[in-house]
Amino acid sequence: MFIRKKFLLIFFLSKFIFSQEITEISDYANTITSKELLENLYVYSSDYFQGRETGTIGQKRAANFLRDFYISSGILSARGTNNYFQPMILNIKGKKVETENVAAIIKGSQYPEEYIILTAHLDHIGIDKNGFINNGADDDGTGNVALLEIAEAFMKAKNEGSGPKRSLVFLHVTGEEKGLLGSKYYTENPLYPLKNTVANLNIDMIGRINPKRNTDDPNYIYLIGSDKLSKELHDISKLANERHVQLELDYTYNDDNDPNRFYYRSDHYNFAKKNIPVIFYFSGTHEDYHKPTDTADKINYSILEKRTKLIFYTAWELANRSNRIKLNR
């Protein structure tokens, strides 16, 4: 009888501790709000940034905006950067273009030499031949502001003594629209060892609804690549969603035979080529893709918030679990 009571006490105590942990994590996740996402995106996709084409003054302004956010949030610059910038010279259509990735870090408390890298591409396609600015609110303004909100949530946790056990690197890459060039440069010139890079969570276009879906329900996210290198990463992603967010996880574009070949078309692919497990978060293309009409007023901010929270919860689990995720055999 005593043993049974002791067992029940341990069971309920562990359940209480677990629910406390869930509540605490949710408190940090709930700092990610549609209001702040909207405010940042209206700035980041404004005409001031002139469409953020790689190497232009508009792209430089975007990089400065991101750097200033990390500075004001007390988040450190990544090792080996020049005040948050990883400079590079790219050869684009025979021209040498000076540009930069932006990289910040929240160091882990227990496993600081293991890294989860979150990426979004900071560039877009600039000004068209008719003088119209392609503001790229969804592509990839949504990814960049999501990264900023996730970083801010993790920094709040760190400041309150609940920081991540592993290090989190927030990497805004340049030259994606020119051929995934900034992420290629990073994986060939890594700021942190690739062998110590646990996973890459890549965010590219998560603010709209794909008109090709059979329903107008926005409660979904496409996941691409989550099971290709680590089934464990895939399972963690599913569990994070079930516990916290309850989005429909749509794997349509994860099919190896998908004619769109999205797995090969965003920055996660350069990490996957180095045998680093990846998840590509994506809500699909739409009628405003690569057009001046991809503007901030067309973003669904409530679903952008929910999708961003899913990425936060997944990163939280990767950063705080006891063991580093394993590759498929």
Side-chain angles (χ1 to χ4, degrees):
M1 191 69 166
F2 173 74
I3 293 173
R4 183 171 178 275
K5 285 182 179 179
K6 188 175 180 181
F7 172 79
L8 287 171
L9 178 63
I10 292 169
F11 173 77
F12 285 115
L13 186 60
S14 62
K15 192 172 182 181
F16 173 72
I17 292 169
F18 176 74
S19 65
Q20 269 195 320
E21 288 176 355
I22 293 289
T23 302
E24 183 182 62
I25 299 167
S26 296
D27 287 343
Y28 300 127
N30 288 337
T31 66
I32 297 168
T33 66
S34 56
K35 179 178 181 292
E36 289 186 5
L37 289 161
L38 180 151
E39 289 170 351
N40 283 324
L41 187 56
Y42 264 85
V43 175
Y44 196 73
S45 63
S46 67
D47 286 354
Y48 177 71
F49 297 99
Q50 299 179 8
R52 307 188 302 274
E53 185 172 7
T54 300
T56 64
I57 185 63
Q59 183 255 296
K60 305 288 186 183
R61 289 172 177 172
N64 286 333
F65 172 84
L66 297 168
R67 177 179 62 184
D68 290 347
F69 181 93
Y70 288 115
I71 291 171
S72 66
S73 301
I75 300 170
L76 299 174
S77 59
R79 184 180 67 200
T81 60
N82 179 11
N83 195 20
Y84 296 87
F85 292 167
Q86 182 186 28
M88 67 196 73
I89 298 175
L90 300 176
N91 189 325
I92 299 175
K93 295 183 178 179
K95 294 182 179 179
K96 290 184 176 180
V97 175
E98 294 185 7
T99 184
E100 54 280 310
N101 294 331
V102 179
I105 187 169
I106 296 176
K107 292 182 180 179
S109 59
Q110 291 188 27
Y111 314 106
E113 300 303 317
E114 294 183 9
Y115 306 92
I116 294 103
I117 299 185
L118 294 91
T119 51
H121 69 89
L122 66 89
D123 64 305
H124 192 50
I125 60 173
I127 302 171
D128 70 16
K129 61 183 179 181
N130 297 313
F132 292 107
I133 297 173
N134 293 279
N135 295 115
D138 194 26
D139 184 15
D140 185 26
T142 52
N144 284 275
V145 298
L147 244 60
L148 298 182
E149 283 288 285
I150 292 167
E152 194 173 55
F154 271 104
M155 194 62 192
K156 178 177 172 60
K158 183 178 177 68
N159 289 337
E160 295 181 2
S162 299
K165 294 177 181 178
R166 292 179 178 82
S167 295
L168 291 163
V169 179
F170 301 92
L171 178 64
H172 304 257
V173 292
T174 189
E176 191 269 356
E177 301 288 4
K178 305 297 185 183
L180 315 184
L181 299 182
S183 56
K184 182 175 185 287
Y185 184 89
Y186 180 89
T187 56
E188 292 176 353
N189 305 272
L191 300 173
Y192 302 100
L194 296 184
K195 67 179 181 180
N196 294 345
T197 301
V198 174
N200 168 234
L201 306 181
N202 180 48
I203 315 170
D204 194 353
M205 299 177 61
I206 60 165
R208 297 278 296 266
I209 311 303
N210 186 353
K212 295 177 184 176
R213 283 174 60 84
N214 295 325
T215 172
D216 292 331
D217 184 2
N219 193 56
Y220 77 95
I221 186 74
Y222 294 116
L223 296 190
I224 302 171
S226 62
D227 62 349
K228 294 190 184 298
L229 293 172
S230 173
K231 178 66 163 50
E232 201 169 2
L233 175 61
H234 179 77
D235 292 342
I236 286 166
S237 167
K238 285 179 63 178
L239 185 60
N241 182 60
E242 289 167 8
R243 280 183 179 169
H244 301 286
V245 185
Q246 293 89 50
L247 283 164
E248 177 194 344
L249 303 184
D250 190 326
Y251 299 100
T252 298
Y253 297 127
N254 193 52
D255 189 326
D256 289 340
N257 298 314
D258 170 44
N260 296 283
R261 292 176 61 81
F262 286 127
Y263 178 66
Y264 307 94
R265 290 173 54 184
S266 192
D267 294 295
H268 62 280
Y269 184 58
N270 282 316
F271 290 89
K273 285 196 295 185
K274 299 293 186 180
N275 214 31
I276 295 167
V278 301
I279 302 177
F280 172 24
Y281 298 89
F282 180 53
S283 58
T285 57
H286 43 74
E287 63 274 14
D288 300 307
Y289 176 68
H290 279 194
K291 293 180 181 177
T293 47
D294 179 8
T295 50
D297 58 301
K298 295 180 179 177
I299 300 299
N300 184 324
Y301 288 97
S302 60
I303 201 63
L304 174 58
E305 175 189 315
K306 198 169 185 180
R307 291 164 177 165
T308 302
K309 285 179 176 177
L310 171 63
I311 302 162
F312 167 83
Y313 282 121
T314 304
W316 182 281
E317 177 60 27
L318 290 170
N320 289 296
R321 67 199 314 269
S322 299
N323 299 312
R324 174 177 172 169
I325 59 169
K326 295 182 175 67
L327 291 166
N328 296 337
R329 291 182 179 178

